[in-house]
Amino acid sequence: MKRTRTAALTVAAAAAALAPLLGQPATAAQGTYLQDPAGADKAMKSLWTKDEMHKVEAQLRFHPGIRYKTVPRPAHPAAPDHERRTGDPKTLAWEPEFDFGWAVSDSMLVKKAVTTKDGRHPIVLHASVRSASRGTAVEVHRELADQPATGRERVPGGKRIACDTGEYTVEWSLTRTGYGTLRGSMPWNSSCENHRTAFSAEHGRH
């Protein structure tokens, strides 16, 4: 009984990450993302201006955003409606989003010391998903005016990327106009195998 229950809970956990609204496309595994620089939530790349009186920090979280539609599945007649549907692996596709974080610091009197995070700032965001063989799959650019010294901005990619189309590079930059630009990149694999496995396990559950 314990082994059976453990297996059931494992399948349920995988399926929960893929659970969509009935009959609607949905984003699965909302909590998964790639972060540059890697590390804790507050990990940031940083850059001082030449006079060492102003600093820009930045971070990117890349959310692959898997999307799919649902189809009916075998289920007990007494099961709730939402348990009679499962994800359709034929409709899987990626729909990326880019989550930028930043912090702007200004030294008051001493270089690289006694900094404050005040005022409003112009921030420019740029990111793309590129493949050596397929070129640029997704690219975003956003210019923000009058932003707080610390903030986040999530930018939808606006395009889908087909599953299993190989390795990509996520490139990004964040500019505090007049202070400097931080850049980064990280690899991303477009395989959808993990999601297909979860769909398969969920489809067989009664």
Side-chain angles (χ1 to χ4, degrees):
M1 288 292 291
K2 288 185 178 180
R3 289 183 180 179
T4 301
R5 179 175 174 79
T6 300
L9 289 173
T10 301
V11 171
L18 300 171
L21 298 173
L22 284 178
Q24 299 294 324
T27 301
Q30 294 280 3
T32 61
Y33 55 82
L34 301 176
Q35 180 176 299
D36 184 32
D41 288 353
K42 295 183 179 180
M44 294 270 194
K45 293 189 172 184
S46 63
L47 173 70
W48 284 93
T49 55
K50 289 183 178 181
D51 62 5
E52 299 184 338
M53 294 296 288
H54 310 280
K55 182 173 69 170
V56 183
E57 298 173 273
Q59 173 199 90
L60 177 77
R61 290 177 179 171
F62 174 67
H63 296 258
I66 198 74
R67 304 283 291 186
Y68 59 93
K69 293 182 180 180
T70 60
V71 293
R73 70 154 183 244
H76 191 280
D81 288 344
H82 69 273
E83 291 188 1
R84 298 177 188 174
R85 304 189 68 86
T86 188
D88 180 2
K90 294 180 181 179
T91 65
L92 280 167
W94 300 104
E95 193 168 285
E97 291 188 331
F98 306 89
D99 183 9
F100 296 85
W102 69 83
V104 179
S105 305
D106 298 294
S107 294
M108 301 304 294
L109 298 172
V110 183
K111 293 181 178 182
K112 293 187 177 181
V114 194
T115 60
T116 62
K117 293 182 173 68
D118 296 318
R120 311 293 292 186
H121 303 269
I123 303 292
V124 180
L125 313 174
H126 190 91
S128 64
V129 182
R130 303 178 188 274
S131 165
S133 59
R134 297 172 180 269
T136 301
V138 174
E139 187 166 19
V140 299
H141 184 87
R142 183 167 293 184
E143 299 184 12
L144 308 175
D146 197 35
Q147 296 299 300
T150 61
R152 299 200 72 90
E153 181 79 5
R154 189 153 172 165
V155 183
K159 293 183 179 179
R160 295 191 177 187
I161 298 175
C163 287
D164 309 309
T165 48
E167 297 280 346
Y168 289 81
T169 300
V170 179
E171 299 177 346
W172 66 276
S173 68
L174 185 146
T175 302
R176 193 298 188 185
T177 306
Y179 284 32
T181 299
L182 286 161
R183 306 179 188 276
S185 66
M186 53 188 159
W188 171 63
N189 190 323
S190 63
S191 172
C192 289
E193 186 59 33
N194 288 342
H195 296 290
R196 289 195 190 90
T197 300
F199 285 153
S200 177
E202 179 68 359
H203 187 78
R205 186 168 66 90
H206 294 270

